[in-house]
Structures are given as C-alpha cells and as structure tokens.
Amino acid sequence: MALKQSYQINQKQLQGLVLTQSMKQSILMLQTNLLNLTDYVQDLSMANPLFDVNPTVSKQEVEMSTALENNSVSHQTLYDYLLEQVRLTMRPTSLRDVVVCLIDQLDEHGYLVKSDQELLELLPVDKITLIDAKELLFSLDPPGVGAQSLQECLILQLQARKATAQTTLALTMLEKYFDNIINHNWSTIAQHLEVSIPEVEAAFAVIQTLTPYPYTEDYDNNGYIIPELILKTNDDKLSLEVTKYGYPKIVFAQETYEQLKQSTDQETQEYIKNKYQEYQSLQRNLERRIQTIALIGRCIIEAQAPFLLQKTSELQPLLLRDVANKLDISISTVSRTINGKYLQTDFGIFELKHFFTKRSNPNSDKSVNQVQAQIKNLIDKENQQHPLSDQKLVELLAQQDIQIARRTVAKYRQQLGIVSASKRRKK
C-alpha cells in the first residue's frame, strides 16, 4: 500500500484533534518551528492568489548564520522525548515504570518490536497491567507510537483524530478489511459495509494521509534553530521580546482582490470570498501564535527568574499544568508551544521545555534539579576518607527541610554520575 509521507501529511494527522479549520491551522502553526512555518505558509500562498509570502530568513541563511556562535543545541532522541512526556504527565507509580520499560523496547521508528507474550515473559507484570501500560504509551506523542504492526499504527493515528463520517469509515476499514485495503478491493469493502465505492475511496484518501511510521528523523526539526524569544537583563530586571526575525511576511495582493471583486460571476464571487477568509484566518493565527508563545515565555521567566538572572544554577519546580492553569489553556497547548521553541539569553540559548522540571515529591517546594544540586554540594564537601552514605545524605537533607527516601537519594546520585560511598572512599 502506497502511503505517502510528507511534512504536510503529518500535520493533517495532528490537526484532527480540533473542531474548525481555523483552529486546525492555529494548532498546526503553534507546534511548528519557524523554518517549517515559512514553508507551510508559502504552500498556502500557492493556492491563494490574494497573498504572497516574503520569507524574512531562508534555511541557507540560518545554516550560514553566526548568530548562534558556539551555542550548540542537542536535539532529543525519540527515547528522550517520550521519557520527558512521561516525566511531565504521569505520576510516579509502578504503572509508569512499566511504561518506561515499554519505551525501552521501541525501535528507532517507535514500533514496539516484541509481542505481548514476549513482553509478559520479560516484565514482571500481568496481562491487565501490560494492557494499561500500553494504553498510556499510546497516549504519548507522536501518534502511533507503541504500535506492534503497520495496521495498529494506522489505527492509533486515526483514533487520535476527531470522529467524522470519513474517519469512522476509514477506521472500520483498517480494523476489519486491512487486506482488502492493501489489494484495493473497494467493491468487496463497499459490499460488506453497505456503502458506495466513492465513499470507500474517500475513506482510503484519509488513510493515505497517515504515516507508516510513528516516528522518523524528519519528524523533529532539521537541526537549525531561530530563537523566537529574546531575554534582556537590566539592573536585575528581566524583559522579554518576541522577535519576528524569521517570521514569514504576508503581502496582501490588493490589486488582484479588487479585480476579482468586480466580477459578476457567482462562482468567482464565492471563490474570492473564501480565499479572503483564508487570508484573514492566516493572519489571525500567525498573531495568535506569537501571543501564545509570549504568554508562556513570560510565565517561564516569572517562575525561573533566579536562574535567568544567574543567581542560581538550579531551576524551580515548574510543570506544564502550572502554566496551563495560570493561562487558562490546555496542557496540550503548552506542550505544543514549548516543543522546538527557543529563548535566547545573555548566557546561552535554551529550548523552552528546558525550564520545566518536576518537584522532588508532591508536597515539596524543591525541584528535582535543586535537590540534586544539594546532594552534589554535600558530596563535594564530604570527608573523602569517610564519604557520606545515602542514608546520611537523607539525614542531612532533612535538616534542610528536604524530605526524600534513601532510594530517591540513590537514584539522584546515580543520575549525577556519582558512585556509591564505598567506591568514593579514599585510603
């Protein structure tokens, strides 16, 4: 089965979560980085005679740019991206641990390569727990991740979309008539489902917008970045600017619009009305994108001011839901906004999601980052002939009103790359 894979196709997949075409476009533009945003808007202009696009920066200019100097940005692997979502969206439970184990079994495209039977033999869980863990894995981005076959991958992608007559029919076809889809047996499918062949073909067109792999290397951005937020510091005061460098400039074709408006043909009048509405919607969504990024950027700056003023190297606790609740927007909107968007500071460039870190425990006002820094500080000052055990670190942290378990101290120590006390001891 020929399943065309492209930038636009992946976006149609993600747009299916919202109601109107305008909101589909708004979410798509929000989650897209600037370089791909320019490509997208230029594609729209090809189908609309009422505006042209003047890109303010090209990919070649970004590649040649020295603005980033030696600031390198490491891009996440699929494994790291999924783990980050788990960390930010799931509470620490035994079920979450199983989800992490499943992520470890994914191949480079996001497929779960082992069968359920093999997973049950590998993991100390029962069948119900495995099913629950897989459902949580399916809820992560990108859609289709955790699938064990092409058929399941396509089904998961469709299930993530808003239900329409076409998507419902396409889903039924995938679930019950997958072999017939591969062989293009439209008449057989139409007969069994009691629908017309054109309806089957329309549903197949929906299936063709899906991707055969949950994840490919081009799912992420191309490695070049343009910071959309610039942070300036003046006398311990922080100010945020939204840079429009790299934003596509929309030029309205006024003369063409006036000419077409003079037509007395009804179809032409309807056409020009629709294209003008598309132009207006595009302008609104570009502005909405800027406003949303700016609002979330300000929340981040307010929460992480000590770090951004370089008064500390540790980040404060900050969760997606904290920002979502403050701005009265959905967690998914925050997640889409921070992914692939960057803040430029005087001491480096940071992806927005860098500033999100969970609390060391639900009742603590300390982030994991802060607790790890305290552990490292205590170990750095220890007597090397009598190094601090994990239990002793627990007691010392408790004196600083940081209440965590010994096993948590051990985990944080290992994450810092610090060996156990017995291996740190010097004779």
Side-chain angles (χ1 to χ4, degrees):
M1 176 172 53
L3 290 171
K4 185 178 178 183
Q5 203 172 344
S6 72
Y7 172 78
Q8 289 83 4
I9 284 174
N10 280 332
Q11 307 205 329
K12 289 181 181 177
Q13 168 187 329
L14 293 170
Q15 290 176 29
L17 295 173
V18 289
L19 296 175
T20 67
Q21 187 62 33
S22 177
M23 287 304 297
K24 289 178 183 179
Q25 184 182 81
S26 177
I27 285 190
L28 171 59
M29 293 168 65
L30 186 60
Q31 68 192 18
T32 303
N33 65 31
L34 276 182
L35 291 177
N36 289 333
L37 177 66
T38 297
D39 289 343
Y40 171 70
V41 175
Q42 285 178 327
D43 285 343
L44 292 179
S45 72
M46 297 295 290
N48 192 327
L50 296 187
F51 70 90
D52 293 314
V53 181
N54 292 336
T56 57
V57 62
S58 68
K59 291 184 178 181
Q60 290 74 22
E61 289 176 314
V62 176
E63 292 179 39
M64 297 172 63
S65 174
T66 58
L68 301 184
E69 297 179 347
N70 295 323
N71 291 320
S72 60
V73 179
S74 59
H75 294 280
Q76 288 179 309
T77 63
L78 173 63
Y79 178 81
D80 291 335
Y81 180 44
L82 293 172
L83 284 187
E84 181 176 60
Q85 292 178 71
V86 169
R87 177 175 64 84
L88 292 174
T89 62
M90 299 181 192
R91 292 179 297 174
T93 63
S94 58
L95 186 58
R96 186 178 81 163
D97 294 338
V98 179
V99 175
V100 173
C101 291
L102 292 180
I103 291 174
D104 199 42
Q105 299 301 318
L106 299 176
D107 68 9
E108 68 273 17
H109 296 303
Y111 274 103
L112 194 55
V113 294
K114 285 183 168 54
S115 67
D116 284 357
Q117 185 58 44
E118 290 173 322
L119 291 170
L120 288 172
E121 293 174 359
L122 177 69
L123 304 174
V125 297
D126 57 29
K127 187 175 181 179
I128 298 299
T129 302
L130 178 61
I131 292 173
D132 290 342
K134 286 174 64 178
E135 287 299 320
L136 287 176
L137 179 59
F138 294 157
S139 71
L140 301 178
D141 186 63
V145 69
Q148 292 167 300
S149 66
L150 172 61
Q151 180 181 10
E152 186 176 29
C153 176
L154 300 178
I155 288 172
L156 289 172
Q157 291 177 53
L158 267 186
Q159 288 175 340
R161 295 191 177 191
K162 179 178 178 289
T164 65
Q166 286 186 345
T167 58
T168 301
L169 177 56
L171 188 58
T172 302
M173 288 166 55
L174 284 172
E175 290 173 340
K176 298 182 178 180
Y177 302 101
F178 187 67
D179 290 339
N180 286 299
I181 293 174
I182 293 176
N183 296 318
H184 289 201
N185 292 332
W186 306 145
S187 59
T188 301
I189 297 174
Q191 182 179 359
H192 281 86
L193 294 179
E194 299 181 349
V195 295
S196 67
I197 290 179
E199 287 178 301
V200 172
E201 291 174 338
F204 179 67
V206 173
I207 295 173
Q208 286 184 301
T209 67
L210 307 175
T211 170
Y213 299 111
Y215 178 85
T216 59
E217 289 186 359
D218 61 358
Y219 183 86
D220 198 1
N221 63 48
N222 53 26
Y224 305 110
I225 63 170
I226 303 175
E228 298 191 44
L229 298 174
I230 297 178
L231 185 69
K232 295 187 177 181
T233 306
N234 184 20
D235 295 331
D236 276 355
K237 293 183 178 180
L238 299 172
S239 62
L240 183 70
E241 293 183 6
V242 180
T243 174
K244 291 192 176 182
Y245 174 75
Y247 268 84
K249 184 178 180 181
I250 309 300
V251 181
F252 184 63
Q254 186 68 39
E255 185 176 343
T256 301
Y257 177 64
E258 294 296 339
Q259 289 175 350
L260 290 173
K261 275 188 67 177
Q262 294 175 8
S263 173
T264 57
D265 180 72
Q266 185 63 35
E267 289 187 5
T268 301
Q269 287 293 322
E270 188 65 26
Y271 173 81
I272 195 66
K273 176 183 176 181
N274 291 336
K275 292 303 176 183
Y276 185 67
Q277 289 175 345
E278 288 177 10
Y279 160 75
Q280 290 181 310
S281 178
L282 177 63
Q283 288 282 49
R284 286 194 300 269
N285 288 332
L286 281 171
E287 185 60 32
R288 184 180 293 118
R289 182 183 189 276
I290 294 172
Q291 291 173 351
T292 304
I293 293 173
L295 285 170
I296 292 176
R298 292 189 182 100
C299 286
I300 290 172
I301 289 171
E302 181 180 337
Q304 306 297 0
F307 173 84
L308 293 168
L309 288 168
Q310 301 185 66
K311 294 181 177 180
T312 178
S313 60
E314 296 93 45
L315 294 170
Q316 298 292 322
L318 183 63
L319 301 178
L320 296 180
R321 67 169 175 266
D322 296 335
V323 174
N325 291 340
K326 184 169 185 178
L327 298 179
D328 195 22
I329 57 178
S330 68
I331 292 176
S332 61
T333 297
V334 179
S335 178
R336 291 186 184 101
T337 303
I338 65 176
N339 191 38
K341 314 301 187 304
Y342 293 85
L343 171 69
Q344 179 177 314
T345 72
D346 293 336
F347 56 98
I349 294 175
F350 301 88
E351 192 169 9
L352 296 187
K353 61 185 176 183
H354 167 80
F355 298 102
F356 289 80
T357 179
K358 66 179 182 180
R359 293 171 177 81
S360 57
N361 68 65
N363 300 318
S364 173
D365 61 350
K366 299 289 185 182
S367 70
V368 171
N369 185 273
Q370 289 173 312
V371 175
Q372 287 179 332
Q374 291 288 356
I375 292 173
K376 186 176 185 303
N377 183 53
L378 290 170
I379 292 176
D380 286 343
K381 296 178 180 179
E382 71 183 0
N383 183 335
Q384 294 184 348
Q385 292 182 335
H386 302 284
L388 300 171
S389 66
D390 291 339
Q391 183 57 44
K392 185 61 178 177
L393 288 170
V394 168
E395 296 170 3
L396 292 173
L397 289 170
Q399 295 175 12
Q400 302 176 29
D401 294 326
I402 300 175
Q403 307 292 336
I404 57 175
R406 185 192 61 79
R407 63 177 180 275
T408 305
V409 169
K411 180 176 74 171
Y412 290 172
R413 172 177 55 74
Q414 291 167 2
Q415 290 174 347
L416 291 168
I418 300 174
V419 297
S420 63
S422 61
K423 295 181 179 179
R424 297 199 306 273
R425 181 176 291 109
K426 291 186 178 180
K427 298 180 180 180

